Amino acid sequence: MSYKAPLKDMLFNLQHIAKMDELASLEVFEEYGLETVQMVLEECAKFNESVLVPLNASADKAPAVLSNREVKTSAGFKDAYAQYTQGGWQGLQHPLEFGRQNLPKSVGALCAEILNSANMSFALCPLLTDGAIEALLTAGSEDQKQTYLHRLVSGEWSGTMNLTEPQAGSDLSLIRTRAEPSANGEYKIFGTKIYITYGEHDMSKNIVHMVLARVNGAPEGVKGISLFLVPKFMPLDNGELGERNDVYCVSLEHKLGIKASPTAVMQFGDHGGARAFLVGEENRGLEYMFIMMNAARYGVGIQGVALAERAYQKAVTYAMDRVQSRPVDGSQKSAVAIVHHPDVKRMLMTMRAYTQGCRSLASFAAGAFDRAHHSLDLEERQAQLALYEFLVPLVKGFSTEMSQWVSSMGVQVHGGMGFIEETGAAQFYRDAKILTIYEGTTAIQANDLLGRKTIRDGGRFAARLSAMIEETLSEMSLEKHEDLLVMFAQLSESKAHFDQAVQYMLEVGGDTPNSVYAGSVPYLTLTSTVVVAWLFAKSMMVSHAQLEAHPEDRFYFAKLKTARFFAEHILPQTQTSLQSIVQGSTSVNALLPEDF
């Protein structure tokens, strides 16, 4: 079996976690009831399974190539992109006024998961275009919106983010790309940008680069960064493409994974300066770029779920087919498929629980985003925005770390065959590694969660989250079903671990920041694990009720048992995380740099 989109689990999350019926009651989404959404997901699955899945392995073996400053993408990509854009898939979540469907993020995120499961290297191009669209919707001038958004939303043109430079990794205060004012309100850009995903390719007619640079005389540090729009080809008034701009790809990176996605080194201004247009106001570029980055960070979290799902499906297929060893209970006298062996089941259940749990986390966050932007109640919008912003580092940080654990376990299920490239399991493991790095490393997500979302907030939202979990626990405690009682007991204990971690962060963070930041990643892991378990608890209550009404439906039975597995095998790890947070900082900080 190749990849099949997990539509039933996706629809379960839409209905019971994102609460699609509530979203459809909002005027902006009134056309998107569950039945309509199911049709969208089915069509999305059909396109990706038939067009993009077959290109994934071949493109990994024959990635994009650079010749004479032009990039030719892997075989089949250009035609697949044409089909992708003709189907309207680029514009799913974007405004009707620019020609597309304005679907809820809750639905768009699931379509993005399917796309990334099918072919993550291909999916990176639409992901970066979405970021450029978000930045222009927020800070672009009316002329910029009219000139660029229709074509970006349709996918006729694609977009990029140009942040990083050779001397400046995640520390954007160090960027040195410069912008010089020119005629007619334009600027000229000079500099080098690295790690630019789809910075050059042959799939779209034009590429719109969103570039961070400093205007001459700007303040040092992040306060002096501005955002510029730099098209590959200059648009003419009649909508046609004019002259080639002074921006070129000078090399492509050779990478561990996502090999078919061209990661470019871009050179601006070697021939007189790249023509550029200021987006918004001077020196506010980082503020605008964070709009793109937040959209991309959520999108990368979706990629983590997508790769985990693909690795899980491949491992299940192999475990069903691979015959080796007799069962330990003696129930068969000859060798059986390895899926019968307890430890293989343990690995498959771990993969399943992490993947489904993080899908629920992403759906919950997307539902919060949709309410934050479209609810008619101002107080509700503010509350949902706070929830979404708290969840983004969890979606990005935890789901991407999870994808590494799951894809590694997928290789393990395959045994020696997993270490052989031809089986395909290794590709998901290699592809997953970048997810914890780009769009802000796991430590950056953890520092955001700890610093901005917990300490600076005085723990107010963390307390609100704890109260929300407590409310669910009070509903669960009335149930007498064994699976629910197991979750109730462990979630209660792990929520206490979360509360203790927050209290420690607040008490110690102001005086000894090194002590708390030494535990920032364990804090992100603990928080994410508790939130995922909380969502599993909600899923269990729904599944328990559904199973009583439909005892023959194995989906709800499997959901209950998967959630219980998470409660028994993964949720207890919060105790270890808490210990690392509260007691582990001394050993982290003990060695001086020269001791290493």
Side-chain angles (χ1 to χ4, degrees):
M1 182 192 77
S2 189
Y3 169 74
K4 298 291 292 183
L7 295 180
K8 192 156 187 177
D9 195 57
M10 289 178 165
L11 288 166
F12 178 92
N13 280 288
L14 266 180
Q15 186 173 2
H16 301 295
I17 301 300
K19 305 288 187 183
M20 192 65 220
D21 288 346
E22 291 180 9
L23 293 176
S25 69
L26 300 173
E27 184 178 354
V28 68
F29 298 137
E30 61 186 0
E31 297 180 11
Y32 299 116
L34 204 59
E35 187 174 334
T36 301
V37 165
Q38 181 172 346
M39 292 171 58
V40 171
L41 290 175
E42 287 172 350
E43 285 302 309
C44 182
K46 187 184 302 180
F47 167 77
N48 282 281
E49 290 165 9
S50 62
V51 176
L52 289 174
V53 168
L55 300 176
N56 193 46
S58 60
D60 181 63
K61 296 177 177 67
V65 294
L66 173 66
S67 178
N68 296 322
R69 298 193 293 190
E70 300 288 338
V71 170
K72 182 178 181 181
T73 51
S74 299
F77 269 37
K78 187 173 182 179
D79 179 61
Y81 186 80
Q83 295 182 60
Y84 179 82
T85 55
Q86 287 163 12
W89 296 110
Q90 180 70 66
L92 281 182
Q93 297 171 230
H94 299 303
L96 294 170
E97 64 185 290
F98 296 107
R100 288 305 171 203
Q101 292 96 317
N102 200 37
L103 273 169
K105 188 181 186 75
S106 304
V107 181
L110 294 174
C111 289
E113 184 195 323
I114 295 172
L115 174 65
N116 279 279
S117 283
N119 195 319
M120 195 175 89
S121 285
F122 177 94
L124 280 161
C125 184
L127 173 67
L128 271 297
T129 301
D130 283 339
I133 291 168
E134 291 294 333
L136 287 176
L137 283 171
T138 301
S141 67
E142 192 58 35
D143 181 63
Q144 289 169 350
K145 291 177 182 178
Q146 294 304 321
T147 302
Y148 292 95
L149 280 179
H150 289 278
R151 294 173 176 85
L152 287 168
V153 168
S154 71
E156 180 184 355
W157 297 354
S158 65
T160 71
M161 294 169 59
N162 286 250
L163 289 72
T164 308
E165 300 177 8
Q167 80 289 346
S170 298
D171 187 355
L172 298 178
S173 67
L174 300 177
I175 69 168
R176 291 292 175 261
T177 296
R178 72 182 195 278
E180 297 180 357
S182 182
N184 303 318
E186 293 185 17
Y187 291 75
K188 292 287 184 72
I189 298 285
F190 303 86
T192 304
K193 296 289 186 178
I194 62 172
Y195 305 149
I196 310 306
T197 301
Y198 277 91
E200 174 62 30
H201 62 90
D202 60 355
M203 301 195 307
S204 65
K205 294 180 180 178
N206 200 8
I207 303 173
V208 181
H209 301 287
M210 307 299 288
V211 184
L212 289 183
R214 293 184 184 282
V215 179
N216 291 345
E220 288 297 314
V222 295
K223 294 181 179 180
I225 297 174
S226 300
L227 179 62
F228 296 90
L229 186 158
V230 183
K232 176 181 176 180
F233 293 102
M234 302 304 299
L236 301 176
D237 291 339
N238 62 4
E240 298 297 316
L241 296 178
E243 66 179 12
R244 180 75 154 82
N245 205 354
D246 187 9
V247 50
Y248 293 95
C249 172
V250 295
S251 69
L252 292 179
E253 304 293 355
H254 301 281
K255 299 168 295 188
L256 174 68
I258 53 166
K259 293 185 176 183
S261 167
T263 302
V265 176
M266 302 299 297
Q267 191 66 32
F268 296 81
D270 273 3
H271 306 281
R275 293 176 64 185
F277 306 91
L278 180 68
V279 177
E281 301 175 16
E282 285 188 5
N283 303 328
R284 294 183 65 186
L286 195 59
E287 172 188 340
Y288 305 142
M289 189 61 86
F290 263 114
I291 297 163
M292 295 178 69
M293 289 170 66
N294 272 335
R297 284 175 175 178
Y298 178 88
V300 173
I302 292 294
Q303 290 180 327
V305 179
L307 275 183
E309 176 66 35
R310 191 74 192 272
Y312 167 69
Q313 288 193 22
K314 191 162 190 66
V316 168
T317 301
Y318 183 81
M320 293 285 194
D321 293 339
R322 174 62 166 161
V323 175
Q324 184 174 320
S325 302
R326 288 177 293 174
V328 293
D329 64 357
S331 58
Q332 299 286 334
K333 295 188 181 300
S334 58
V336 295
I338 63 173
V339 72
H340 292 280
H341 300 319
D343 192 62
V344 173
K345 284 186 175 181
R346 178 193 61 83
M347 289 190 286
L348 294 177
M349 286 297 289
T350 302
M351 298 171 76
R352 178 187 181 92
Y354 270 127
T355 303
Q356 290 192 5
C358 286
R359 180 178 296 119
S360 292
L361 174 63
S363 289
F364 186 58
F369 178 94
D370 288 329
R371 290 173 178 82
H373 288 78
H374 300 290
S375 175
L376 299 179
D377 186 302
L378 177 59
E379 187 174 332
E380 170 71 0
R381 290 175 69 161
Q382 292 172 338
Q384 292 295 317
L385 181 60
L387 174 60
Y388 176 73
E389 290 181 346
F390 188 90
L391 293 173
V392 166
L394 276 59
V395 173
K396 201 287 184 185
F398 188 69
S399 298
T400 58
E401 292 287 345
M402 176 277 297
S403 71
Q404 290 186 115
W405 307 331
V406 168
S407 58
S408 174
M409 199 164 281
V411 173
Q412 188 73 17
V413 170
H414 283 74
M417 293 302 295
F419 203 68
I420 307 300
E421 286 287 358
E422 282 74 12
T423 62
Q427 182 186 347
F428 307 128
Y429 188 29
R430 289 187 285 102
D431 286 351
K433 182 59 246 181
I434 189 58
L435 301 181
T436 63
I437 299 172
Y438 63 17
E439 304 309 334
T441 63
T442 304
I444 288 175
Q445 309 307 316
N447 289 352
D448 176 42
L449 178 68
L450 173 58
R452 291 189 179 92
K453 310 292 171 55
T454 303
I455 295 177
R456 187 181 300 178
D457 176 56
R460 284 185 292 274
F461 188 85
R464 178 187 159 201
L465 178 63
S466 183
M468 293 163 71
I469 297 171
E470 187 62 43
E471 183 179 352
T472 300
L473 286 167
S474 69
E475 296 168 0
M476 288 184 68
S477 64
L478 303 177
E479 301 287 349
K480 300 301 180 184
H481 189 275
E482 182 185 358
D483 294 330
L484 289 163
L485 291 173
V486 167
M487 174 61 84
F488 174 82
Q490 186 57 55
L491 181 55
S492 298
E493 185 174 342
S494 292
K495 187 192 83 72
H497 296 157
F498 170 69
D499 293 338
Q500 292 172 54
V502 171
Q503 187 63 33
Y504 173 79
M505 299 297 184
L506 296 175
E507 289 176 356
V508 178
D511 298 328
T512 56
N514 282 348
S515 295
V516 294
Y517 280 92
S520 63
V521 171
Y523 175 59
L524 182 143
T525 302
L526 188 159
T527 305
S528 302
T529 303
V530 169
V531 172
V532 167
W534 170 45
L535 298 176
F536 261 135
K538 289 174 171 286
S539 298
M540 290 178 88
M541 289 189 285
V542 172
S543 297
H544 178 51
Q546 290 291 331
L547 200 57
E548 288 192 326
H550 308 284
E552 76 288 349
D553 196 326
R554 297 294 289 183
F555 172 83
Y556 295 110
F557 175 83
K559 178 65 77 174
L560 270 173
K561 299 307 177 183
T562 302
R564 177 169 177 169
F565 179 92
F566 192 93
E568 291 181 326
H569 290 263
I570 298 172
L571 193 48
Q573 296 171 14
T574 57
Q575 175 66 60
T576 318
S577 295
L578 177 64
Q579 185 172 339
S580 295
I581 292 165
V582 175
Q583 301 176 10
S585 64
T586 301
S587 58
V588 169
N589 294 306
L591 298 187
L592 298 174
E594 55 268 28
D595 293 328
F596 289 98

